[in-house]
């Protein structure tokens, strides 16, 4: 057999691989600059090196680490990598298109905001001890000045004399029983109710159905704090500032309207949700960011027992669409492991009802015709890798169906969903996990996803052009910088 | 808005769903009998009922059960369901096309075979105690009569006087320290080294890379027992008989040729592997089953550090194909979580080298062009759900990419791979897991997969026709029976 036969084979192999990957966003764009190609190579080398030097090391605090492993266990390792600190965290991300407004600021920061405001009080059903600490959720709220407790030195919520009334949160922290850790023990307990912890995700609540119970409780605990106007304003400022720091230029926020008011500074007056939009306007004007919350969506646990499928709302939604043809639908759909379940079937309705993007679309990979429609109609999928992993749709990023969807030529925008509850922030961790868990995806892929996050945003055409020009400038600087790094 | 608008919507919805599922094997076949349709409905009703009455019950031995959960934890629950005992276990399965010859009989049965033969002896490095019991692997082998230990009453392998020599396995069991459980403790320890246990898969070896260490050790321990001619014959008989009981009509066995001999009845003479094929012939003739081992494959841990990709062997394989055009290739490929890794890339080579089927093809879902080729060239995928789950490619069956592959119109044959190591047997458990974890897949889907297991077997055309006629007759009886069950 001549070596020509092998050479022919290798040529046919190259061609087949190219055909197989032809639909990917990083292949469609052909005119990469020399700096982009060099930066991509540098990043691949760092990834390869750290797969051994960081992820291949046994015996550390985290047992059996690997690239793309569970985020809640991996976070401290990720922060130590060059791939994160020198590359991904510095990358201009484009837009953040799937994030919930009440889950966007880190737990520690939210607790600091609460500790910093005199109206914020705390109560629990009765005195806390080592055992009740494991399951009692605190009630933390602003209360009107006239309801402040009369005593200057209230009982500690860990004291046997405590009978369940409101205590100023600062006092409750100060007086927290030293046997339970004192102020640090207080912080640990409260923060544990603000976020999903590894023991929640991997033991107590090990299925999507179960983890949504814990997930819901984190919102219940933090919502009354955030819903308070003075804190809401600061919360929003911190969210926008940290997003800017993370290289995000534009955000479309998902708002929920379950509770139809926000609470004024007096902690008594219930303000219309219009006030919330005015706060958004005020704060965004203030930070001179261009951010608009527009687009109509339905949010919740699609698989939940109480959940109604999109089909249930088909008639009012069809009516709404006819009446308001300029308000785009941006539905959550397919955030499920189900195969033919109601949540999986929501994908048909989201597309038939004319959604412009799909929130999650986790189960889309199972639907050849729907993938074809998304490709043809340019319906981008808001993929939220860390959210999907923490909420138990996938056990790690290598198991995530993202490559299936990307390789079908469907535009993908990476999003963070509810980063506060996942002990995450910005978009860097989601970008990192996707980059670390593949040999095909590289920096150019992430760059194209960032471009798509502008293309598939709800900005008007003029604003899109402006945003794209600004992003391309930052990107060019970034890739020059990465290309110059020694890999 | 008229109700006509909603009616139109519902019609468009039906059409879209039909288009999306048009490529599935259960849709291509249009002429289902009334009994088949009724049986399918009965099975769907049982599944729906047991999702609540069996899988929805908390507080049993298995925490947080759900349909399609980890097999090693689920098995005892599965056995109690009507879906398993009354339906799936009775179904005629067609062919078993992906099973390894030395991993096909239950651990307990293998131990009984060993206990039943006087040549089989055991040794360990030194006396076993409660702590060494956790990690010491037994050396279990036939030894020639002249090497049998001289003493009639040897020291127990748990006795401090034991110095590491061979002990008849029956004696070792009898004399096992009562403090370590006596004979039952012996069985528990030995069986634990024959199979993968939940603590192995979900704690100690929680990634595909790690679990292959344990997986490999189960073969190392059992292989010398099975490789002994008198046991090999009985092993094969038991495998074929249990397969027949499970409704399997035809088997293509994957053989490995790592060790180039089997051991004759004298426990000394090394026989050529040709003898192994003669045993197959003798036993199959004896049971009058039609079974042939043909087809060339390469087997091993694709992701392993020592593994060579198919590409490495491209030249000799191309040469082999030219020389032996009638010997089909049936490659393992894509048994990996990797995206663009060498094991993932094996899929390109398997297809280019002309494989007739693909063993596992777990990562095929990521490859649009390769899925198109499999569909066009009728390359069936040997999907091994429980193997993939135990070996940590997927955490549960709802996360398995099987629906992605099926919905692309690619033929799938469900297979068991190494059931002995997974505490499984036959095909019923694999069929069960697939049925339980979907709302789309039903009895008709499983029926079509069984048909495809004959169609895509390596039987010659005449034998296929005979096998198919026999299967259709059993299937018709089976669906009549199921259709008559009260659902």
């Amino acid at each position: 057999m001549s070596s020509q036969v092998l050479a022919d084979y290798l040529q046919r192999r190259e061609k087949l691989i190219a055909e197989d990957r032809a639909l990917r966003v990083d292949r469609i764009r052909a005119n990469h600059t020399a700096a982009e190609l060099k930066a991509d190579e540098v990043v691949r080398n760092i990834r390869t090196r750290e797969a051994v030097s960081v992820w291949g090391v046994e015996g550390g605090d985290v047992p059996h680490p690997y690239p793309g492993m569970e985020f809640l266990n991996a976070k401290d390792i990720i922060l130590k990598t060059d791939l994160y600190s020198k590359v991904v965290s510095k990358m201009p991300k484009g837009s953040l298109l799937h994030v919930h407004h009440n889950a966007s600021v880190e737990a520690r920061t939210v607790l600091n905001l609460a500790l910093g405001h005199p109206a914020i009080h705390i109560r629990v059903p009765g005195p806390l001890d080592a055992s009740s600490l494991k399951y009692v959720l605190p009630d933390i709220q602003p209360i009107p000045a006239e309801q402040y407790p009369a005593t200057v030195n209230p009982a500690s919520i860990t004291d046997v004399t405590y009978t369940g009334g409101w205590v100023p949160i600062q006092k409750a922290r100060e007086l927290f029983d030293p046997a339970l850790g004192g102020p640090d023990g207080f912080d640990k307990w409260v923060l544990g109710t603000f976020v999903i912890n590894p023991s929640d995700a991997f033991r107590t609540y090990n299925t999507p159905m179960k983890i949504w119970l814990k997930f819901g409780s984190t919102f219940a605990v933090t919502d009354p704090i955030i819903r308070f106007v003075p804190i809401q304003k600061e919360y929003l400022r911190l969210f926008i500032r940290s997003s800017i720091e993370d290289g995000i230029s534009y955000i479309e926020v998902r708002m929920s309207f379950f509770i139809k008011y926000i609470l004024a500074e007096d902690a008594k007056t219930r303000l219309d949700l219009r006030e919330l939009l005015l706060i958004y306007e005020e704060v965004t004007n203030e930070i001179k960011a261009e951010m608009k919350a527009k687009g109509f969506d339905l949010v919740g646990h699609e698989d939940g027992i109480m959940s109604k499928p999109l089909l249930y709302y088909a008639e009012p939604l069809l009516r709404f669409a006819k009446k308001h043809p300029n308000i785009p639908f941006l539905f959550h759909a397919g955030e499920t492991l189900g195969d033919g379940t109601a949540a999986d079937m929501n994908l048909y309705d989201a597309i038939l009802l004319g959604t412009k993007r799909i929130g999650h679309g986790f189960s889309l990979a199972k639907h050849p015709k729907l993938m074809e429609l998304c490709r043809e109609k340019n319906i981008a999928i808001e993929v939220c890798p860390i959210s999907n992993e923490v909420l138990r749709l996938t056990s790690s990023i290598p198991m995530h169906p993202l490559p299936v969807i990307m390789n079908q030529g469907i535009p993908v925008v990476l999003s963070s969903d509810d980063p506060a509850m996942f002990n995450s922030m910005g978009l860097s961790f989601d970008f990192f996990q996707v980059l670390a868990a593949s040999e095909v995806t590289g920096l150019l892929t992430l760059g194209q996803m960032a471009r798509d996050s502008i293309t598939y945003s709800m900005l008007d055409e003029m604003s899109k052009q402006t945003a794209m020009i600004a992003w391309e400038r930052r990107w060019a600087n970034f890739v020059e910088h990465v290309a110059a790094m020694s890999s």
Side-chain angles (χ1 to χ4, degrees), chain A:
Chain A
M1 168 164 297
S2 71
S3 65
Q4 187 55 42
V5 175
L6 186 60
D8 287 350
Y9 178 80
L10 293 176
Q11 207 179 341
R12 285 197 296 139
R13 189 175 194 271
E14 275 305 303
K15 183 163 168 283
L16 181 59
I17 295 170
E19 281 173 12
D20 191 47
R21 296 182 180 166
L23 298 169
R24 291 174 57 91
V25 288
D26 46 10
R27 301 293 159 134
I28 285 169
R29 185 183 176 84
N31 54 343
H32 290 114
T33 65
E36 281 181 318
L37 295 171
K38 175 67 186 168
D40 192 66
E41 187 195 327
V42 166
V43 170
R44 286 174 191 273
N45 289 339
I46 295 173
R47 178 171 64 194
T48 303
R49 192 182 68 230
E50 292 189 333
V52 178
S53 68
V54 176
W55 300 103
V57 178
E58 286 285 353
D61 295 339
V62 179
H64 316 312
Y66 58 94
M69 71 182 292
E70 323 89 76
F71 178 70
L72 299 176
N73 287 329
K75 185 175 174 184
D76 290 344
I77 303 179
I78 292 174
L79 288 169
K80 287 180 207 147
T81 62
D82 284 352
L83 195 63
Y84 182 84
S85 62
K86 296 192 179 169
V87 181
V88 176
S89 65
K90 312 287 191 212
M91 179 181 153
K93 308 291 190 308
S95 311
L96 168 53
L97 297 181
H98 188 122
V99 64
H100 294 271
H101 86 290
N102 51 351
S104 56
V105 172
E106 294 177 275
R108 179 72 248 184
T109 308
V110 175
L111 179 54
N112 289 347
L113 289 176
L115 290 169
H117 200 287
I120 301 292
H121 287 64
I122 186 170
R123 68 177 176 193
V124 285
L128 284 177
D129 56 28
S131 110
S132 61
L133 209 57
K134 292 197 186 89
Y135 59 84
V136 167
L137 296 177
D139 198 353
I140 305 176
Q141 283 186 21
I143 61 172
E146 62 271 26
Q147 290 177 30
Y148 287 9
T151 50
V152 182
N153 287 312
S156 165
I157 57 173
T158 53
D159 194 286
V160 286
T161 64
Y162 172 72
T163 55
W166 289 113
V167 178
I169 189 167
Q170 270 288 12
K171 279 282 175 196
R173 182 175 185 273
E174 263 169 46
L175 301 173
F176 207 68
D177 187 352
L180 299 175
D184 286 349
F186 176 88
D187 291 357
K188 197 179 159 207
W189 165 58
V190 173
L191 291 173
T193 68
F194 281 16
V195 299
I196 296 173
N197 295 300
S199 67
D200 298 325
F202 311 132
R203 281 204 294 276
T204 322
Y205 308 97
N206 63 346
T207 67
M209 202 62 96
K210 302 259 159 203
I211 194 71
W212 271 76
L213 294 176
K214 165 73 191 193
F215 187 43
S217 81
T218 63
F219 283 93
V221 175
T222 53
D223 193 73
I225 306 169
I226 302 165
R227 190 171 293 286
F228 182 42
V229 165
I231 288 185
Q232 174 73 72
K233 275 192 198 177
E234 190 54 24
Y235 185 92
L236 189 54
R237 267 184 213 110
L238 289 165
F239 170 45
I240 297 175
R241 290 209 182 103
S242 71
S243 298
I244 293 170
E245 261 172 49
D246 197 50
I248 295 164
S249 312
Y250 169 78
I251 301 171
E252 289 177 13
V253 175
R254 293 293 215 282
M255 310 276 260
S256 76
F257 302 107
F258 299 126
I259 300 177
K260 306 217 181 322
Y261 65 87
I262 52 173
L263 206 58
E265 187 138 22
D266 64 6
K268 274 190 295 199
T269 315
R270 292 180 167 196
L271 304 172
D272 194 84
L273 287 182
R274 187 172 175 274
E275 296 295 326
L276 181 56
L277 299 183
L278 294 176
I279 291 176
Y280 265 78
E281 195 174 25
E282 180 192 330
V283 172
T284 49
N285 279 342
E286 177 193 314
I287 313 191
K288 298 191 191 329
E290 288 185 321
M291 193 179 87
K292 285 179 202 166
K294 52 181 180 178
F296 181 83
D297 186 15
L298 300 172
V299 179
H301 185 197
E302 281 189 76
D303 273 338
I305 292 162
M306 305 291 288
S307 308
K308 299 258 190 306
L310 275 180
L311 180 59
Y312 180 86
Y313 300 106
E315 192 155 11
L317 289 171
L318 288 163
R319 209 181 309 132
F320 183 91
K322 203 168 176 186
K323 201 167 159 192
H324 306 285
N326 294 325
I327 298 185
F329 285 144
L330 299 166
F331 292 119
H332 278 67
E335 188 184 3
T336 182
L337 283 175
D339 185 32
T341 57
D344 180 37
M345 301 297 280
N346 277 344
L347 286 167
Y348 294 106
D349 296 290
I351 291 171
L352 281 174
L353 290 165
T355 199
K356 297 294 181 193
R357 298 195 304 264
I358 294 174
H360 291 289
F362 187 90
S363 68
L364 182 69
K366 293 171 184 160
H367 300 283
K369 182 68 187 178
L370 300 186
M371 289 197 286
E372 187 187 315
L373 286 172
C374 287
R375 184 166 63 236
E376 283 170 4
K377 292 175 186 283
N378 278 311
I379 300 171
I381 313 303
E382 300 160 359
V383 173
C384 306
I386 291 173
S387 169
N388 296 157
E389 186 262 297
V390 175
L391 297 178
R392 302 285 84 195
L393 292 182
T394 183
S395 290
S396 65
I397 304 303
M399 290 183 198
H400 196 287
L402 172 62
V404 179
I405 293 168
M406 284 176 60
N407 291 351
Q408 292 280 352
I410 298 161
V412 162
V413 292
L414 295 182
S415 308
S416 60
D417 205 18
D418 302 285
M421 277 62 179
F422 311 141
N423 196 18
S424 177
M425 51 147 283
L427 274 173
S428 289
F429 287 116
D430 285 288
F431 273 62
F432 179 93
Q433 289 289 74
V434 166
L435 183 62
S438 170
E439 297 291 313
V440 181
T441 288
L443 191 64
L444 301 183
T445 326
L446 297 187
Q448 194 54 35
M449 285 174 167
R451 275 189 197 91
D452 284 346
S453 74
I454 297 168
T455 304
Y456 298 102
S457 72
M458 292 298 116
L459 285 169
D460 59 60
E461 283 311 312
M462 185 73 91
S463 308
K464 265 188 207 176
Q465 279 185 33
T466 313
M468 194 67 95
I469 290 166
W471 182 87
E472 289 286 2
R473 198 163 41 226
R474 288 179 69 180
W475 170 253
N477 287 337
F478 169 74
V479 294
E480 289 283 355
H481 169 77
V482 173
M485 283 167 61
S486 71
S487 60

